[in-house]
Every structure is written in C-alpha cells, then in structure tokens.
Amino acid sequence: MTAPNQGPALRTTPLHAVHRRAGAALVDFAGWEMPLRYTGERAEHTAVRERAGLFDLSHMGEIHVTGPQAADLLDYALVGHLSQVAVGRARYTMITAADGGVLDDLIVYRLADHDYLVVANAANAAAVLAALTERAAGFDARVEDRSADYALIAVQGPAAAAILAPLTDADLDTIKYYAGYRHTVAGRPALLARTGYTGEDGFEIFLTPGTEAPAVWAALLEAGEPHGLVPAGLSARDTLRLEAGMPLYGNELDPGTTPYDAGLGRVVKLDKPGDFVGRAALEAAAKAGPARRLVGLVARGRRPLRRGNPVLCDGREVGSVTSGAPSPTLGKPIAMAYVEAGLDSGSGAFSVDVRGRAEEVDLVDLPFYKRGR
C-alpha cells in the first residue's frame, strides 16, 4: 500500500514559526503557507487604518536585473520608462504579453545606475522571471531570481513612521512615497522603501538574508506596542487594498485585460523611445478606448458582493464583480467590477445579482477610501 499523494509541500517564509506561535490561521496562498488572520480581519484592518499593522510579505518574488543595459532591457520588457527612474526611487508598472494582456503588475526599484529590483506577485514570480529572461536576449544585462534570499516585512498605518523611526538610521522625513534606500532596521541591513498596498502611509523592509526577519519582526512589535501595532494577515490586506481601489492580479488584472481596461493606462509610456513588448497592441487599445471600465460599487443593503456576481443596469447584465467584501471603514459591502465603458452613475438603476436576488448598489468612482479625505 502506498500513501496517498498529498501534493507538493507548501513553501514557508522565514517568519513561519513566528506566525504559528502567534496563533495565526494559516492558509495556502499561491503555494505558500501564509497567515490569513491573527485575532480577526476586522480588528486588523481597523488597526492599519487608525494605528498600524505588521505584514509578512516574504512570499513576493524578488528579481534582480543588473548590467550595463539593465535599464534598456526593462524599457523593452515592461510598459514603463524605467531608464528615467532615478536611483533610490521606485515605479509601479506592468509586464504584458505581445497582445497587451497583463502578465503581472510590478514595483521596480532602481538601486544603482545598473541595478534594479523587480518585485512580482507570488503567483506570477516564475512567469515574470521567465519572460524577463527571454526578453533579455541581445541585451548586456543579467536577470537573476533572488527571491529565496529575501524576507519582506511591511509596517503600514498612520503610526508607521513613529514606530520605525527609533529602529533605523534613516531620516524617514526625507524618504518620499515610492522611494527606497539602503539603511539599517533593528541593526540589520535593509532596503527601506516607502511603499505599500493598503492606502496608508507605511514602509516595506527588504531583508537579506531572510533569516534576519524574526529579529526585525520582534523589534518592530516591541517598538510598536505603545502605538497599537498588531500583526495583520492576508484577509485584512485584501480589504485594505479593496477600499483603496488597488487592483489584485487574478481579479482585476489578468492576461485578458489591458492596463487601459483597468483604468491604469497612465503606466503605459507610449512616448518612450524604441519598441517594447506589447507596444503595437497597446497603441491600438489607447486609440480605440476600452470596451469596459473598472468601477466601484457600494451596496445599499447588507449582503456581501462577491467575485463573479453579475452587475445589472435596469435589469440588463452589463458586467461582473471582480472583488467584493464588507468594508470595515465604510460599514457597507463594497466591490470593484468591470462594466460596459459607456455607463456611469446616471445610466440607470444598478444592482448586483447575489444568488438570484438583485441587490441595489450605487456606482461610484474609485477609490472608496483615500488617506486624509
């Protein structure tokens, strides 16, 4: 008799034992065993909005692109104009197929003149690595997967800077949004970046080697205790990004979606010189305009709106929900959805079909939540 096939073992981050000791609910996320929640997603979400939350993001992919033509390679491989990014700054961008469909959305950090760090979503890291490697042919540049060397911790929320300040040699007031520099955190070397995925101020801390993560995590929790810092899981991160109108790959973005469909045409730099993968298709998409657009929905009732629910206008199906959840901040169910491009809030009565029942909704512009508003 043979044992049943249990499938491949889930990968774990350097903080896995820390999460277990904290009693986190652990789940399979893109092949990684990750914390879904610690005490509860609503409490963790609210902590980030009002105080601060601590996230383990070590499942993300880290790809280094180096060499004399690293900038030229990224200008060709990605839709952004990465050669124009200053050293110490970061850029949100995308990698697309030749037909303009999104393969992943990325953050790219320029660490030095010929040294870039490309951060990919966990589920797409292998595909991004393969695409960059293929597109590097003919360029004097090296593409190297360094994901196994890194741990990534994020501290997000209004108190993030106050918590981090006594633990780092960086003057946090001088680090602008979407900037990242080499500093120390809790005595360990780190790339410290003012980036995040919550709609709040905050920092992401890239550590190499990743084995330094437990000590840095513990130091942050200790420093954050007077400020109400709590560890937060993937569930809170999802509702935070949803309120902030930030897309999730696999929901709002996929190979059948262009940046223009998602309302993110600004990341496509058609004015940069030379060719890039997807240019012809994206030029055509920009000229034609999208057939659908990404909108926000706020329910008038209490039933949650979920991915895949049809969106109706005057009873006619006009789109589909891509992400939905009860919003702890708004106190109402919210969703993002793709609808026909010509529709707006004055086009008719909108509703969402939730298991055969039409739930009235208001169509709104994204984001649902903006810091300081």
Side-chain angles (χ1 to χ4, degrees), residues 42 297-305 325-327 330-335 350-352 354 357-363:
R42 179 176 291 272
L297 303 174
V298 178
R300 296 182 181 180
R302 309 302 301 176
R303 296 185 76 186
L305 313 176
S327 165
L330 277 65
K332 301 176 182 180
I334 61 172
F350 285 88
S351 61
V352 172
V354 181
R357 177 176 167 180
E359 298 291 334
E360 293 183 344
V361 298
D362 293 311
L363 188 148

Side-chain angles (χ1 to χ4, degrees), residues 1-8:
M1 182 179 291
T2 59
N5 182 8
Q6 300 295 320

Side-chain angles (χ1 to χ4, degrees), residues 244-318:
M246 296 177 171
L248 174 66
Y249 194 89
N251 290 35
E252 288 72 43
L253 302 173
D254 57 39
T257 301
T258 73
Y260 295 101
D261 294 328
L264 293 168
R266 65 183 183 275
V267 308
V268 182
K269 303 304 180 185
L270 295 174
D271 57 347
K272 66 179 175 178
D275 195 16
F276 65 90
V277 177
R279 176 187 275 279
L282 291 169
E283 285 178 336
K287 183 176 181 180
R292 56 183 182 151
R293 71 186 190 99
L294 190 63
V295 299
L297 303 174
V298 178
R300 296 182 181 180
R302 309 302 301 176
R303 296 185 76 186
L305 313 176
R306 300 299 187 192
R307 174 170 165 77
N309 290 158
V311 180
L312 312 175
C313 181
D314 291 336
R316 180 176 68 89
E317 186 170 340
V318 295

Side-chain angles (χ1 to χ4, degrees), residues 36 40-41 44-45 48 55 232-241:
L36 181 67
E41 45 267 83
E44 294 164 22
H45 177 114
V48 175
F55 298 86
L234 293 174
S235 185
R237 190 166 183 253
D238 189 51
T239 52
L240 289 159
R241 70 90 194 167

Side-chain angles (χ1 to χ4, degrees), residues 143-181:
V143 177
E144 183 182 9
D145 182 12
R146 294 281 306 280
S147 304
D149 299 335
Y150 277 91
L152 175 56
I153 296 172
V155 56
Q156 300 279 303
I163 292 166
L164 185 59
L167 297 178
T168 181
D169 62 340
D171 179 355
L172 299 182
D173 289 339
T174 67
I175 300 181
K176 298 178 181 178
Y177 187 50
Y178 266 68
Y181 303 95

Side-chain angles (χ1 to χ4, degrees), residues 332-347:
K332 301 176 182 180
I334 61 172
M336 288 196 281
Y338 278 112
V339 300
E340 295 172 4
L343 298 176
D344 59 29
S345 58
S347 298

